[in-house]
Amino acid sequence: MGELKKWGLWAIAAYLLFGLCIYYYLFVFANSSVPDIYKETSADPATFLNSRELVLSEEYSKIRDLLFFLSTPYEWLLYLFILIFGVSTVFEKWANQASRFQFVRNAVYLFWLSLLTFVLMFPIRYLSYHFSKTYHISAQEFGGWMKDNVIDFWVNYLIMLVLVTILYALMKQFPKKWWLASWILFVPFTFFLMYVQPVWIDPLYNHFYPMKDKQLESKILSLADKAHIPANHVYEVDMSEKTHALNAYVTGVGSHSRIVLWDTTLQKLNDNEILFIMAHEMCHYVEKHIYFGIAGYLLLAFVGFWITAKWMARWIDRHGQKLHIQSISQLRTLPLFLLIISILVFASSPISNLASRYEETRADRYAIEMTKNKEAAIESFQELTKSGLSQVNPPLLVKIFRYTHPTMLERIHMVETYPIKQK
């Protein structure tokens, strides 16, 4: 136990040191000012934000980025402590005492693990909500925010219960190749989840309905027809009771694919700006970005499962006796599995974000070519920046680990300099 306590102390010390370094990087070292070459252009936030908004966007962005970089290693710390201090072993004993049926045991164990991590992660989630409310990004009252968190808990719990039950059954059946069998079943599960998400999961949080403005919907559908996209409806979602930010996205696969607009976007942008955003989203459909994204995700998952299997086996060989772990298929190893997966997801995020930024750049260019309206594109980007208090030119580490879209500086400059081909 003495050695385990040393692990815990070293982990806490490393986390505190990391936190200090990130704070220094974001609040002291990093420079998010606009280069001189972009000054007084439409990409310069000083041309479309007032002095107060400029200050608030810098403050809020730094706080939000700090919470992001602190939350992920904090999650690792929780999993490590649950593992090395025997909490996971206690949860498995409770589960074994609850029933002789393995599925029920899985359910009991996962409930306690999920509840503990939910409670311990709650302070960081609440801080994120608090600051988004303070800076007038969130419009949601605490009760509504808690309701969404409870829904999140149960949705994630049920999905994890299915995955954990299958995963640990495969570990028992295939002790050496469980990672490969798990990935093979993970492929159809991913497609199934993306297929049902727009129909079963998303409506748990918000109300989706066909666009109310039929005249604007007709313009959007005409644009879809021009892009050879079979579409009968554009969906609207009531996000104004939760946020002041703007968004639009493509979700689902197959016949359940749909383009969704937040009602805040409809309230704050004019028709031409909305048509540009819709053309951008249509590119994701036309160029099959969703399917390329799934393929990349599954490729990373294949590598991730393999690495996780190797690391888990090595960890148990070296430290299994100290942690009272005899086999990888024991439920008490789940925090180790989640710890390694979380580390790999974070480590691979620069790659996935880079691919996403490439696709988003393609979508911006496609939208300009389709709408031939640079002014609408620039104004929509400016309003997105203003409503979300986003940095136009974020620090490099923030861009690498957080940005799935190009920075607004890059997007606006690209629009300004893009040579539109006239027919």
Side-chain angles (χ1 to χ4, degrees):
M1 183 58 71
E3 186 177 354
L4 297 181
K5 287 183 178 179
K6 288 182 181 179
W7 289 358
L9 291 174
W10 278 110
I12 292 173
Y15 179 72
L16 293 175
L17 180 61
F18 172 78
L20 289 173
C21 291
I22 285 295
Y23 180 87
Y24 178 82
Y25 175 78
L26 294 174
F27 287 84
V28 181
F29 178 78
N31 181 14
S32 59
S33 61
V34 175
D36 289 340
I37 192 174
Y38 301 108
K39 291 287 180 64
E40 298 183 0
T41 69
S42 55
D44 184 357
T47 64
F48 60 88
L49 297 179
N50 61 42
S51 57
R52 176 170 171 75
E53 289 169 338
L54 287 169
V55 172
L56 292 178
S57 66
E58 284 297 310
E59 289 179 355
Y60 179 65
S61 295
K62 289 176 181 178
I63 292 171
R64 181 181 57 190
D65 294 335
L66 178 64
L67 289 174
F68 167 80
F69 282 110
L70 290 180
S71 63
T72 302
Y74 177 70
E75 181 184 27
W76 302 344
L77 205 61
L78 294 183
Y79 288 139
L80 180 64
F81 277 28
I82 290 170
L83 186 70
I84 67 177
F85 289 110
V87 179
S88 184
T89 302
V90 172
F91 288 165
E92 186 178 17
K93 288 179 180 177
W94 291 353
N96 291 338
Q97 292 168 1
S99 174
R100 62 188 180 88
F101 298 105
Q102 189 59 50
F103 180 79
V104 177
R105 291 178 175 180
N106 295 343
V108 171
Y109 173 88
L110 188 61
F111 173 79
W112 288 113
L113 180 64
S114 300
L115 183 62
L116 179 62
T117 54
F118 177 86
V119 170
L120 294 177
M121 288 295 296
F122 185 82
I124 289 184
R125 280 196 296 268
Y126 177 75
L127 282 175
S128 180
Y129 164 73
H130 168 75
F131 284 113
S132 67
K133 186 78 171 175
T134 301
Y135 284 87
H136 302 290
I137 303 299
S138 173
Q140 195 172 25
E141 296 303 324
F142 179 77
W145 177 77
M146 274 302 302
K147 177 184 175 183
D148 283 350
N149 273 271
V150 172
I151 293 173
D152 262 343
F153 174 86
W154 286 111
V155 169
N156 292 332
Y157 172 77
L158 292 174
I159 293 173
M160 280 295 296
L161 179 57
V162 174
L163 292 176
V164 166
T165 299
I166 295 172
L167 176 68
Y168 278 81
L170 292 174
M171 285 179 175
K172 291 179 180 179
Q173 187 70 25
F174 308 102
K176 299 295 184 182
K177 296 293 184 180
W178 64 265
W179 64 271
L180 181 59
S182 298
W183 180 82
I184 291 172
L185 291 181
F186 185 69
V187 173
F189 182 81
T190 299
F191 278 97
F192 172 76
L193 200 60
M194 294 196 69
Y195 186 78
V196 303
Q197 179 180 337
V199 181
W200 292 351
I201 299 177
D202 289 348
L204 295 173
Y205 300 88
N206 297 99
H207 178 50
F208 292 78
Y209 43 86
M211 184 180 288
K212 295 176 181 178
D213 187 342
K214 295 303 177 184
Q215 188 174 0
L216 177 57
E217 184 183 39
S218 178
K219 293 179 183 179
I220 294 172
L221 293 177
S222 176
L223 204 64
D225 183 64
K226 182 180 175 182
H228 307 292
I229 297 174
N232 297 319
H233 296 290
V234 177
Y235 288 87
E236 186 177 338
V237 56
D238 56 343
M239 289 295 295
S240 55
E241 62 185 32
K242 294 185 177 183
T243 182
H244 298 296
L246 313 182
N247 197 17
Y249 59 91
V250 178
T251 186
V253 294
S255 61
H256 285 182
S257 296
R258 58 176 62 172
I259 298 175
V260 179
L261 270 167
W262 288 7
D263 59 349
T264 52
T265 305
L266 294 167
Q267 293 165 8
K268 295 184 180 181
L269 301 185
N270 62 40
D271 285 9
N272 287 332
E273 292 162 358
I274 290 171
L275 288 174
F276 171 80
I277 289 177
M278 287 292 92
H280 171 103
E281 298 303 330
M282 289 174 189
C283 176
H284 294 311
Y285 180 93
V286 171
E287 297 194 356
K288 310 290 192 242
H289 289 168
I290 293 176
Y291 297 99
F292 282 118
I294 294 174
Y297 174 69
L298 292 176
L299 177 61
L300 288 175
F302 178 85
V303 177
F305 273 118
W306 177 74
I307 293 175
T308 301
K310 297 296 182 183
W311 284 3
M312 287 185 74
R314 184 173 301 177
W315 176 283
I316 293 170
D317 284 343
R318 293 183 178 182
H319 311 294
Q321 187 174 0
K322 300 187 192 75
L323 301 173
H324 306 288
I325 297 174
Q326 291 79 41
S327 168
I328 196 173
S329 61
Q330 289 178 284
L331 275 175
R332 65 188 66 178
T333 64
L334 183 57
L336 177 60
F337 176 85
L338 296 175
L339 169 63
I340 296 172
I341 289 292
S342 181
I343 291 173
L344 293 177
V345 168
F346 183 79
S348 65
S349 60
I351 299 173
S352 57
N353 289 345
L354 181 64
S356 177
R357 289 197 296 270
Y358 170 77
E359 292 180 345
E360 296 298 337
T361 300
R362 295 274 304 176
D364 285 345
R365 291 173 178 170
Y366 180 93
I368 296 170
E369 286 289 349
M370 177 170 277
T371 62
K372 303 288 194 292
N373 194 334
K374 288 187 174 185
E375 183 180 355
I378 291 170
E379 289 177 352
S380 66
F381 289 150
Q382 290 175 341
E383 186 59 41
L384 283 167
T385 303
K386 186 175 183 177
S387 65
L389 290 180
S390 304
Q391 286 177 313
V392 169
N393 187 34
L396 180 61
L397 283 182
V398 175
K399 177 184 175 180
I400 290 173
F401 283 96
R402 295 210 64 193
Y403 272 55
T404 57
H405 290 62
T407 67
M408 283 302 178
L409 181 71
E410 295 167 336
R411 299 180 84 177
I412 294 175
H413 178 68
M414 188 275 292
V415 171
E416 279 192 328
T417 58
Y418 189 83
I420 297 178
K421 299 176 182 178
Q422 298 293 342
K423 290 186 179 180

